Amino acid sequence: MRTQVGIIGAGPAGLLLSRLLALQGIDSVVLENRSREYVEARIRAGILEQHTVDTLTAAGVGDRLQRQGLEHRGIHLQYPGTRHTLDFPELCGRTVWVYGQTEVTKDLIRAQLDGGPPLLFEVSDVRPEDVDGDTPRVRFTDADGVPQVLECDVVAGTDGFHGPSRAVVQEAGGRLWERTYPYAWLGILADAAPATDELIYAWHPEGFALYSMRSPTVSRLYLQVDPSERIEDWSDERIWDALDTRMALEGWSVNRGPVTEKSILPMRSFVSAPMRRGRLFLAGDAAHIVPPTGAKGLNLAVADVTLLAQALVRLLQEKETDLVDSYSDRALARVWRCTHFSWWMTSMLHRSGDDFDAQLQLSQLRRVCSSEAAARELAENYTGLPLEL
C-alpha cells in the first residue's frame, strides 16, 4: 500500500486531519484498531470552541452540527447561595457550542466513507517504522489477519495515550509531564430536559458538580468523587440526590429522568514533548491530556491537526520544511496554555485539602464573579485562544 500520509487512529484528530489534507489534494490512509461501532459509541467531550466549529464547518462536516448543536453564550458559576452568569459575547465576543464528540466522530466517519480517503477499521499490531528518514512506513495486520505495509511520506500519530506512536517518538529522547488529581468525575447521561440555559459549574463543600447537556431533551451531569469509588455503589437515586445537594439554589431544581449511561472518569494532566520525531508527528491525546473541567481536550486536538495539516501541505506540495520544523513548538505553546487553564479551573472548583483551601477557592470564585478583568480571562480561555500564540 502507498499513500502520502499514514494516519494512525480514527478519533476526531485523525479523521479531521485526513479531511483537511484531502481538501488540499493530499492522499492519506487512516488506520484504526477498533470497530466502527465502538468508535462511534465512545462518550467523550461535548463543548466546542468557536475555532473548532468554524474548522468543521469549513471542512464540510458541520451541517448536522449547525442543525442540532446548541450555541451557548456563557456559563454559570455557582457556590452555596450564589449563581453568577458569565456572558461570553459581552466579555470576549465569542461563544461555544454543545455538540458531543461522539457526533463529531460520526460526521467525520460518514464523510470519510462517502468517497473520502481509505479508512481501515479493526487493524492490529500497528507500528511506525523508519520515521527518521524520508520514506517511513507503517506495518499492521488488517481485519482479515493479513500483514500489510503502508508506505508513506509522513506518519501522523493520532492514536491516543496508549497507541504506538508516542512510544516511537519517546524512544528518540523526550520529556513527559504528568499530574494525577486526587478526584474523579462520575458522569451520567439522562433522558431529562436540561433545567438550565447554560452550563453550571458548581463548587460545594461536598464536592464539585457540573450541569451540562447534549440536546434539549438529554442532560449530561457530573459529580466529583474519589477515584477509588465504584460505579456499582452509585445508584441512580444516590446520584440525583447528590446533584440536588451540590446544585441547590432557592427556587430552582435539577430535572430528573432515566439514566442511560454512567461511568467514572479519572482526572489527570499529561504532556509529551516533542510532538515530532523525523517524519512522525503526534496530535491530540497521543501528545497531551487535560482534565475535562476546562473543556479543552477535543478542541486542542482540532488545533493540533489544523496546524499539522498546514505544515504537511507546505512540506508535501511546496517541499518547504519551515512549518513542520516549528510544528511541535507552536502546538506545545497552545497545549501548555490550555493545560494551565484546565488545571486552574479544576483547582478552583474541586474540593480537596482542608477548610483553608476551601476559603481560597471561594475567594477566587468571588473574584471571577465580581471582576470584569478576571471574568474576561476565563471567557477568553474557555471560548478558545488564537491558534498561534
Side-chain angles (χ1 to χ4, degrees), residues 130-142:
D130 294 336
V131 299
D132 295 318
D134 294 335
T135 55
R137 66 180 63 88
V138 182
R139 293 190 183 274
F140 66 98
T141 301
D142 66 23

Side-chain angles (χ1 to χ4, degrees), residues 192-222:
T196 176
D197 55 341
E198 306 289 8
L199 277 70
I200 303 171
Y201 287 78
W203 182 98
H204 189 272
E206 294 185 10
F208 169 73
L210 171 61
Y211 204 135
S212 183
M213 62 284 292
R214 286 294 180 269
S215 75
T217 59
V218 176
S219 294
R220 180 70 162 154
L221 304 109
Y222 300 93

Side-chain angles (χ1 to χ4, degrees), residues 117-131:
L119 168 55
L120 308 181
F121 289 104
E122 298 184 83
V123 305
S124 58
D125 302 321
V126 180
R127 174 74 180 180
E129 293 183 348
D130 294 336
V131 299

Side-chain angles (χ1 to χ4, degrees), residues 2 28 31 61 68 78 90 106 108 111 123 134 138-139 159 174 184 211 222 232 249 293 312 327 331 334 350 357:
R2 171 73 196 175
S28 66
L31 306 175
V61 289
Q68 300 179 14
Q78 179 172 319
E90 183 178 289
K106 290 177 182 176
L108 287 165
V123 305
D134 294 335
V138 182
R139 293 190 183 274
D159 45 347
Y211 204 135
Y222 300 93
E232 296 80 11
L249 193 71
T293 324
L312 295 182
Y327 164 71
R334 199 174 192 278
H350 291 74
D357 295 308

Side-chain angles (χ1 to χ4, degrees), residues 7 12-18 20-21 49 51-52 55 155-161 166 270-276 281-290 296-313 323-324 326-339 385-389:
I7 300 174
L15 293 167
L16 180 58
L17 177 61
S18 179
L20 295 175
L21 292 174
E49 296 174 359
H51 168 265
T52 298
T55 300
V155 179
T158 60
D159 45 347
F161 179 81
R166 180 175 60 85
F270 162 82
V271 179
S272 175
M275 291 172 60
R276 174 197 185 185
F281 299 85
L282 303 181
D285 286 358
H288 45 76
I289 294 172
V290 293
K296 292 295 152 222
L298 173 59
N299 295 294
L300 267 178
V302 171
D304 286 350
V305 299
T306 303
L307 290 174
L308 183 55
Q310 295 168 354
L312 295 182
V313 168
L323 293 185
V324 292
S326 63
Y327 164 71
S328 180
D329 288 340
R330 291 183 294 127
L332 283 168
R334 199 174 192 278
V335 166
W336 277 114
R337 176 85 290 279
C338 292
T339 298
L385 295 170
L387 200 59
E388 299 273 8
L389 293 182

